[in-house]
Amino acid sequence: MRIVYSWIQKWFSQLQFFYTGSETWHLTIDDGPSPNTLWILDLLDTYNTKAIFFCIGKNIEAYPDFFNEILKRGHQVGYHSYSHTNVWRQNNHEFVQDFEKCEAIFKSKIYRPPYGKMTWYIFQYLKKKGIKIMLWDILTEDWKMNIDPMEKIKSKIKQAKNGSIFVFHDNEKSFQNLKIMLPYYLMEMR
């Protein structure tokens, strides 16, 4: 897939699947903040690691103190929409309303579409606003039930290359797997 992603990034520089020229892996965390955010932040502090948190607007409204703690501890934040709606189920006007509602809560120059789904309209809309679209090349699948989380993270790490962008999730559905997968990732990342 890296060859395909390289080609896409070459022609559409606004899209990012991995970091070109980087020798490390890059950690991103979607869907927060949540009641689990402080656990994640404490773990990242233990490993002296920074992440990009792609936050959902309505979750920021529900947990403003956790969002502020992400910023206080020096992590980056990016948009992950206001309501985490699949954009293929929205018309253009609904997308803009949802995005602007999130944008009214905080400012960022990076966006990750929910479920990784895009339309040409969204691509052009964000391009005009100067917002980079960060996707990934390693989706940990930490939200999946009935997986062996240790085997899953080991297989994902085997797929990683220099500059890989990993996606984990800060939500209740993923938390049991995250508690196993994220510490192992952080140990391997060293």
Side-chain angles (χ1 to χ4, degrees), residues 33-50:
S34 81
N36 306 312
T37 301
L38 292 180
W39 180 88
I40 294 168
L41 291 172
D42 289 344
L43 183 65
L44 295 178
D45 285 350
T46 300
Y47 286 89
N48 196 27
T49 299
K50 297 300 180 199

Side-chain angles (χ1 to χ4, degrees), residues 2 22 24-25 137-138 157 159-166:
R2 182 61 72 101
S22 174
T24 62
W25 300 336
D137 62 337
I138 306 290
I157 285 171
Q159 296 171 20
K161 296 180 177 10
N162 289 346
S164 281
I165 297 174
F166 278 75

Side-chain angles (χ1 to χ4, degrees), residues 1-23:
M1 284 302 290
R2 182 61 72 101
I3 293 170
V4 173
Y5 293 155
S6 295
W7 184 85
I8 294 170
Q9 283 185 189
K10 179 180 178 182
W11 292 103
F12 300 98
S13 60
Q14 181 187 354
L15 294 174
Q16 183 174 17
F17 293 91
F18 63 93
Y19 284 86
T20 305
S22 174
E23 295 183 5

Side-chain angles (χ1 to χ4, degrees), residues 30-79:
D30 287 5
D31 297 352
S34 81
N36 306 312
T37 301
L38 292 180
W39 180 88
I40 294 168
L41 291 172
D42 289 344
L43 183 65
L44 295 178
D45 285 350
T46 300
Y47 286 89
N48 196 27
T49 299
K50 297 300 180 199
I52 301 174
F53 286 79
F54 286 95
C55 297
I56 297 172
K58 68 180 181 179
N59 291 352
I60 295 170
E61 290 176 344
Y63 304 104
D65 293 341
F66 298 156
F67 178 75
N68 289 330
E69 193 65 26
I70 292 168
L71 297 174
K72 181 179 163 189
R73 297 198 196 187
H75 300 279
Q76 278 188 277
V77 293
Y79 302 118

